[in-house]
Structures are given as C-alpha cells and as structure tokens.
Amino acid sequence: MRLLRPPGVYAPLEDTELLARVTREEPRTRGADVLDVGTGTGALALAAAECGAASVTATDLSRRAVLAARLNARLRGHPIRVHRGDLLSSLAGRSFDLILSNPPYVASPGDVPVKSADLAWWAGADGRAVLDRLCAQAPPLLREGGVILLVQSALSGVEATVDALTAQGLRAEPVARETVPYGPVMRRHAAWLEARGLVDPGETKEELVVIRARRD
C-alpha cells in the first residue's frame, strides 16, 4: 500500500505489514468499530476499512501523522476519523470491537524526546515505555468479545505484554511471528543494544510478534 508520508512520520515497514495481514485474517474486523492507536500514515486504519469495518477511528500524537492519515484516507475514499492525542487520551467514553496498534517498541537510549516526530520510535530503555501504557489504557475501551491486536519485537518482552493484558481480564496470546532484517531504529541503536547485551554482536535480524487479546 503506497501512502503519502511527510518527513517525521513513521514509515510502514514489516511490522505494519505483519499486523495488517493479521487484521485481514481477524474474524472481528468485518463489521467492527475499529480503533488504530498511533496510526502514523493510517496504514492499519486503512487495512481495517478495506476489510469491511463498520467504522474506523485513528489517533496519533504527531500533527503531521494526523494530517497524513486524514489525507490518505480521503484519497482512498474511506471516512476514517483521525484524532490528535497521546495514545487513548482523546477517546473518553468511547468503546470499540477491535483495537490495533504498532507502538514504539525498540529499547532506546536517552530521555523522553521533546519532538513528537522522535516519539514515533522512542520506547525507553527497556522498550516498554509505550507498550505498558497501551496495555493499561486499551482494555477498558474494549467491548465484550472485542479484540486487541498489537505488534512488537520479541526483544521487548512478549510475556510481559501477555501478562499485562491478562491482568486486565483479557485472554492474550501470540498469534503470529516473523523474523525480519533490522529496521532503521534497530540499525540506529544496534551498537547500544549490543553494549547492553540485549542483542548478539553482529546480529542483523529481529523477531516480530503479533499479540491477540480478547475480552470474553
């Protein structure tokens, strides 16, 4: 899917493609009210819309991402509602059948960035700065029978994500895995990750994991 992407907006890569594929295979997608958290260009929101979702809402903290997602949705003729906000802060009182997210998950050095463009990749020293917040904030917005689908690196603690979602009353498990070459964030931080012992010296690939969590 070719999308308009202004500078500073996260480019859809293998992680987005993997989650989009799982979204297309997810039985809950068709006819669902869908939320895409951290939409970037709107790639996942568009994948849900093109699979027959009843409605699609998307959020992002970046103004450029919000504008890009709105424009990409308009160009493809999908009435996706895109809000600017920090994760789910702009969605009080809403609920959804399906929540999607490709959050920042690569362990990253330094403090929280000031620029929203840098927040598209920054995930804290353990890679869970956004994942932990998402696992806490998303389940309350999920309807009965609803599903959360999110993608992350295996390096960022798949079991920690499953445990966090289970603690919120969901039935969570990994449903898809794919080993891919390092993306731009992993390449940028490879030396730092090696120095901390998080990856092997000379490693050039990581495992991506999609986690599915359902409210029964």
Side-chain angles (χ1 to χ4, degrees), residues 153-179:
S153 172
L155 297 172
S156 304
V158 172
E159 186 174 343
T161 299
V162 169
D163 288 347
L165 292 169
T166 300
Q168 293 275 354
L170 308 185
R171 183 160 53 89
E173 61 181 342
V175 293
R177 297 177 182 265
E178 184 175 329
T179 300

Side-chain angles (χ1 to χ4, degrees), residues 66-96:
V66 168
L67 292 173
R70 287 174 177 168
L71 183 55
N72 284 321
R74 181 174 298 179
L75 289 173
R76 283 159 179 76
H78 293 293
I80 295 171
R81 294 184 291 274
V82 187
H83 303 277
R84 181 173 181 264
D86 182 15
L87 292 184
L88 295 95
S89 62
S90 62
L91 299 167
R94 298 285 304 279
S95 63
F96 300 90

Side-chain angles (χ1 to χ4, degrees), residues 74-205:
R74 181 174 298 179
L75 289 173
R76 283 159 179 76
H78 293 293
I80 295 171
R81 294 184 291 274
V82 187
H83 303 277
R84 181 173 181 264
D86 182 15
L87 292 184
L88 295 95
S89 62
S90 62
L91 299 167
R94 298 285 304 279
S95 63
F96 300 90
D97 303 302
L98 177 63
I99 298 176
L100 310 172
S101 187
N102 178 9
Y105 52 71
V106 177
S108 309
D111 296 328
V112 180
V114 175
K115 296 180 180 179
S116 61
D118 293 332
L119 290 171
W121 56 262
W122 187 86
D126 60 358
R128 299 199 57 83
V130 180
L131 277 166
D132 286 339
R133 294 176 59 214
L134 184 64
C135 289
Q137 294 180 24
L141 275 65
L142 203 61
R143 295 171 183 164
E144 288 297 318
V147 168
I148 295 172
L149 294 174
L150 65 85
V151 64
Q152 67 172 83
S153 172
L155 297 172
S156 304
V158 172
E159 186 174 343
T161 299
V162 169
D163 288 347
L165 292 169
T166 300
Q168 293 275 354
L170 308 185
R171 183 160 53 89
E173 61 181 342
V175 293
R177 297 177 182 265
E178 184 175 329
T179 300
V180 301
Y182 280 178
V185 179
M186 285 290 291
R187 291 196 298 269
R188 188 185 315 152
H189 297 157
W192 180 80
L193 292 166
E194 288 181 14
R196 297 192 67 209
L198 296 176
V199 300
D200 294 331
E203 181 61 72
T204 60
K205 294 183 179 180

Side-chain angles (χ1 to χ4, degrees), residues 199-211:
V199 300
D200 294 331
E203 181 61 72
T204 60
K205 294 183 179 180
E206 66 172 328
E207 184 182 42
L208 301 176
V209 182
V210 176
I211 296 169

